[in-house]
Amino acid sequence: MLDFRAGSEKDSLGLLARAAAAALSERAGCSLDCAISVVRPGLTPLTAGTSEQAATLARWDLRNSDGPVSQAIAGRLAVILNDFSRDQRWPAYWGPLRDAGYRSVVSVPLQLESGCKAALTLITEKTGVFAPAVLADVVMFSKLAARSYVMASEVRAAEAAAAHLRNAMEARTSIDVACGVIMGQNRCSYEEAFGIIAKASSNRNVKVRALAESLLEDLPGGAPATHFKT
């Protein structure tokens, strides 16, 4: 497996793009740029690349539904051996391809989570680069990359859930301690103490947690530290 763990999905896509370009450039015998595109229902497509030219070309392709990236997003391998090909599938694509300085392209589908469509696109200024042997390596790499990326996404989701739980526990602790202080000062129940904090929170238009922490900071010695084992 490859390590694509990062703080955001776009950063993970960037790691994937760089890994693909590095791994496959040697096999292709020339320097490759790479763009990774992800399309989810109801969301803006996300693209990351090893160069701005590669990313921009992939975005143009997706926006116009005219080119190898769009074909790979639809689930089919797409190859352009050079920009003088007589291939008439994407007549509007030739201009942006040449303007970006590229001549050979391969775009392959990536199998990510359900409902998500993605493509890995490799581009170079050389002609006739993606011979059958190189294409076989590209397809093999895309399968490994897809599995690795899914694992990285699962790890990122688990870490986000853990952070959310930790924040919730810390908030609950601050509120509980603040309620305890109010209970001691006013000789009231927990429910009554929480009601006092909630009313003050509403009147001041601040969150209950923020108000509780502010109350605790005014205590001698400041707010008590919260510790959780990790």
Side-chain angles (χ1 to χ4, degrees), residues 14 16-22 32-36 48-55 102:
L16 195 164
R18 290 193 292 274
L32 300 176
D33 277 341
C34 181
I36 310 292
T50 55
S51 71
E52 186 56 34
Q53 294 97 320
Y102 298 117

Side-chain angles (χ1 to χ4, degrees), residues 40-201:
R40 291 188 176 88
L43 298 177
T44 301
L46 183 61
T47 296
T50 55
S51 71
E52 186 56 34
Q53 294 97 320
T56 298
L57 186 61
R59 293 189 191 102
W60 183 96
D61 188 328
L62 289 175
R63 188 168 57 252
N64 293 277
S65 298
D66 184 22
V69 179
S70 298
Q71 180 166 313
I73 288 290
R76 303 186 303 277
L77 173 70
V79 183
I80 295 176
L81 293 182
N82 61 71
D83 65 345
F84 302 110
S85 169
R86 295 182 180 179
D87 189 337
Q88 297 300 310
R89 287 174 294 177
W90 314 296
Y93 184 74
W94 301 113
L97 179 69
R98 285 192 296 267
D99 290 345
Y102 298 117
R103 303 179 75 180
S104 296
V105 183
V106 60
S107 193
V108 298
L110 287 177
Q111 301 299 321
L112 303 183
E113 70 268 22
S114 177
C116 171
K117 297 180 179 180
L120 182 155
T121 305
L122 294 162
I123 324 176
T124 177
E125 62 185 14
K126 304 293 184 181
T127 62
V129 168
F130 299 109
V134 177
L135 284 177
D137 284 347
V138 171
V139 172
M140 288 180 61
F141 181 90
S142 70
K143 293 178 179 179
L144 172 62
R147 291 195 298 270
S148 300
Y149 183 79
V150 169
M151 290 182 63
S153 297
E154 291 172 347
V155 169
R156 186 168 56 251
E159 290 176 343
H164 179 75
L165 177 60
R166 181 183 180 87
N167 288 336
M169 292 174 67
E170 289 176 345
R172 187 73 256 178
T173 299
S174 297
I175 294 169
D176 286 346
V177 174
C179 284
V181 171
I182 294 174
M183 289 167 65
Q185 292 174 340
N186 296 275
R187 299 183 181 278
C188 62
S189 68
Y190 179 92
E191 289 73 18
E192 290 170 327
F194 184 83
I196 292 172
I197 294 178
K199 184 177 180 180
S201 167

